[in-house]
Amino acid sequence: GANFGWRKYEGNMKVTEDKIDESKLIRPVFTYPTSSGCSVTGGYVYRGKVASLRGRYLFADFCLGVVESLEADGGDHRTHPQLKTENLASFGEDSKGDLYVISLNGPVFRLEARLTESSRVSR
């Protein structure tokens, strides 16, 4: 029941004149600049064993092929690149809190200390 502004807003940008109850609108804490890429693939808040990434939200840009982590720093938010590959389509999480990144090209990556080619999951 939370009001995130859909359909009137994409992030903070007004895209329609639809009438919504803006008094209960929950604004985003971070918006992905449209100049950065073209299509955000949402992910997960990391809760696994890599302490430096715990609590960060991981997401990807499909067109740029970049996985980034979003870190809250007081009232500010910073992003950190984690992996560059192509056709990042989705994320998954196992029962231990480990995260996986799925590529349409075939590889599945498991988040270790950092997402790298060496963290490719064997088939």
Side-chain angles (χ1 to χ4, degrees):
N3 178 358
F4 297 110
W6 177 251
R7 296 181 2 161
K8 187 172 185 173
Y9 293 95
E10 288 281 342
N12 288 318
M13 184 175 63
K14 189 187 300 184
V15 294
T16 71
E17 293 300 324
D18 290 2
K19 298 203 183 318
I20 62 171
D21 183 357
E22 297 206 26
S23 69
K24 297 179 181 173
L25 183 65
I26 299 171
R27 298 275 182 189
V29 296
F30 174 79
T31 56
Y32 188 71
T34 55
S35 60
S36 295
C38 75
S39 175
V40 174
T41 302
Y44 290 85
V45 173
Y46 181 74
R47 307 213 188 280
K49 59 188 168 220
V50 181
S52 63
L53 292 176
R54 232 175 268 133
R56 290 189 189 180
Y57 179 73
L58 277 84
F59 64 96
D61 184 293
F62 180 82
C63 299
L64 295 178
V66 176
V67 174
E68 295 188 62
S69 65
L70 178 65
E71 174 186 30
D73 184 16
D76 296 326
H77 292 80
R78 294 180 292 161
T79 60
H80 306 276
Q82 300 297 319
L83 169 71
K84 176 110 171 92
T85 190
E86 294 180 354
N87 298 318
L88 298 167
S90 189
F91 289 83
E93 181 179 40
D94 68 16
S95 62
K96 296 177 187 173
D98 289 328
L99 289 185
Y100 297 83
V101 179
I102 295 97
S103 167
L104 293 178
N105 291 350
V108 174
F109 298 91
R110 180 179 50 242
L111 180 65
E112 293 177 353
R114 191 178 158 108
L115 288 171
T116 64
E117 281 292 316
S118 64
S119 64
R120 214 181 264 238
V121 174
S122 333
R123 295 181 204 216

